[in-house]
Amino acid sequence: MKQNDSLKMLDLIARPAFCVKDGAVCAMNQGAKQLLLELGTPIDALLRTGKEEYAAFSTGCLHLTLSISGQTAGASVTRMEVGDIFVLEQDAEQGELQAMALAARELRNPLASVMTVTDRLFPMVAGEERLQTQIAQINRGLFQMLRVISNMSDAAHYQEDNMCMEVRDVCALLEEQFTGAKDLAAYTGIQLHYHGVPGPVFTQVDSQKLERAVYNILSNAIKFTPAGGTIQANLARHGEKLYLTVQDSGSGMDGDLRGSAFTRYLRAPGIEDGRFGIGLGMVLVRGTAAIHGGAVLLEQPENGGFRITMTIAIRQGAVLRSPVMMVDYAGERDHRLVELADALPAEVFRKERIN
């Protein structure tokens, strides 16, 4: 593809976009020009997170963080013949995000009341299989609503000044999460395997945001993997970065969808497919990687399935700011059930199995 062709292609992209060839910006569309980006700018000068990941990047879609004209922005990178195409994420205005968070807060109280009533119904129908099945279906729906409300609430709070950082053994945290999810995945007929690294590895981490990101990745893997399939999760360390890779044996993701997977409010291929949400889950994943100094890579392995890799920078210094007071986003409910509610069958949500 010639240089002129790449310019024409970039102009068809609605969001700010530019092309990188031989380590420098070689073309851009009008949206990128408005950000005062200049031709010839070295890409290393723009990368805020994901330098090591970009250096090793060859296939798939990589999401990292840029700093352009003093502004931080997420970007999805796709390698093409003409060069690497960077497309910047344009998040909703802060006012819109705050309105969504306010709506989520107002929805929490009535939802909590309904869930409390549902809890009380289970012992009342003990031994009545039909009623227990129906209440379990209602309960699953309530947990799904709680997940959506939590996503709406958190969408506006993925900036560095909203982190609740503490020094933790991230290997132990991930081991606990995958162990807890293994039995739940079995209810769907899927085998979940996890292989960690010889720990411990202490680093600064927002444990609640990391937990939500991991469960969002697992939820997608379970939803798109048929019964009898497998999900393989691996944690590896390379230098001062941890690489968490989750690969499933499902149907994979079309290349066009990979490029828009991190875009808020985009549901594809259509609203009829209930496995696709409104884009908030993957936004939380990329936001979590960014605030932990990492990036996210989406790939379609040659042997089938789908693979996602999230990286975390190992920061072993003391936490300089006092963490904000951590509030349980799940209202003291089982976090696994909240985050995996879309992927699990209703039978899991019987009261005796929740306890």
Side-chain angles (χ1 to χ4, degrees):
M1 185 180 292
K2 297 180 180 179
Q3 185 78 358
N4 289 337
D5 294 331
S6 69
L7 283 170
K8 292 179 181 179
M9 179 185 65
L10 290 173
D11 286 335
L12 296 176
I13 301 175
R15 288 174 283 164
F18 59 89
C19 179
V20 170
K21 186 74 172 180
D22 298 326
V25 177
C26 64
M28 68 183 79
N29 65 6
Q30 190 61 38
K33 291 177 182 178
Q34 292 176 354
L35 298 176
L36 304 181
L37 184 64
E38 297 182 357
L39 293 175
T41 301
I43 187 59
D44 283 349
L46 302 177
L47 293 176
R48 182 170 179 177
T49 68
K51 288 186 178 181
E52 297 93 339
E53 294 88 335
Y54 178 62
F57 174 62
S58 59
T59 61
C61 179
L62 177 67
H63 190 281
L64 39 69
T65 310
L66 304 177
S67 180
I68 301 177
S69 301
Q71 300 295 317
T72 300
S76 296
V77 190
T78 304
R79 178 152 293 175
M80 302 182 67
E81 182 180 352
V82 67
D84 294 335
I85 305 299
F86 285 69
V87 180
L88 273 62
E89 300 291 347
Q90 289 184 304
D91 288 339
E93 294 294 331
Q94 191 63 25
E96 179 184 339
L97 296 177
Q98 291 175 349
M100 184 166 60
L102 179 60
R105 188 178 69 183
E106 293 300 314
L107 289 169
R108 281 189 181 275
N109 287 337
L111 177 60
S113 298
V114 176
M115 296 183 81
T116 299
V117 172
T118 306
D119 290 342
R120 294 171 181 171
L121 286 176
F122 276 100
M124 297 172 61
V125 296
E128 299 186 39
E129 183 65 26
R130 183 178 63 85
L131 290 177
Q132 284 190 334
T133 298
Q134 292 175 341
I135 295 176
Q137 292 172 341
I138 294 173
N139 211 33
R140 178 178 183 260
L142 295 174
F143 272 76
Q144 290 173 323
M145 291 175 62
L146 180 56
R147 179 176 184 263
V148 172
I149 289 172
S150 297
N151 285 351
M152 290 170 58
S153 179
D154 279 1
H157 300 112
Y158 270 72
Q159 294 82 34
E160 290 186 0
D161 57 351
N162 283 303
M163 294 187 294
C164 186
M165 303 297 281
E166 53 187 340
V167 177
R168 298 284 301 274
D169 177 5
V170 70
C171 295
L173 287 175
L174 294 174
E175 180 78 34
E176 180 181 356
Q177 286 182 248
F178 282 101
T179 299
K182 182 177 181 179
D183 291 341
L184 293 178
Y187 277 104
T188 67
I190 297 171
Q191 294 184 6
L192 171 61
H193 304 285
Y194 173 72
H195 184 267
V197 299
V201 175
F202 288 95
T203 183
Q204 295 180 24
V205 63
D206 185 320
S207 57
Q208 186 164 278
K209 285 184 172 58
L210 179 61
E211 176 189 72
R212 299 205 66 205
V214 170
Y215 282 140
N216 268 285
I217 292 172
L218 278 177
S219 176
N220 287 334
I222 293 172
K223 284 188 292 185
F224 287 89
T225 302
T230 59
I231 298 173
Q232 180 66 52
N234 294 284
L235 181 67
R237 177 173 182 173
H238 300 289
E240 294 304 302
K241 282 282 180 71
L242 288 172
Y243 288 70
L244 176 63
T245 300
V246 178
Q247 180 169 339
D248 62 54
S249 60
S251 54
M253 180 184 292
D254 183 84
D256 293 336
L257 298 182
R258 288 199 297 273
S260 59
F262 299 102
T263 304
R264 185 183 283 112
Y265 310 136
L266 182 62
R267 183 171 183 154
I271 198 169
E272 299 82 9
D273 191 336
R275 296 177 301 175
F276 288 89
I278 58 174
L280 292 179
M282 289 305 293
V283 168
L284 300 186
V285 172
R286 69 168 169 85
T288 297
I291 63 176
H292 288 88
V296 182
L297 175 64
L298 307 181
E299 297 177 281
Q300 192 96 7
E302 292 184 0
N303 58 349
F306 186 70
R307 180 167 61 230
I308 179 170
T309 301
M310 180 175 70
T311 62
I312 299 171
I314 300 174
R315 300 163 172 165
Q316 296 181 325
V319 179
L320 298 180
R321 70 169 63 90
S322 298
V324 297
M325 183 175 64
M326 183 176 291
V327 177
D328 184 11
Y329 69 92
E332 306 301 328
R333 300 279 173 171
D334 189 324
H335 291 192
R336 299 170 304 161
L337 293 177
V338 174
E339 296 299 342
L340 300 178
D342 285 349
L344 299 175
E347 65 177 295
V348 179
F349 294 84
R350 290 176 180 263
K351 182 63 178 176
E352 65 271 15
R353 287 177 182 166
I354 295 176
N355 294 336

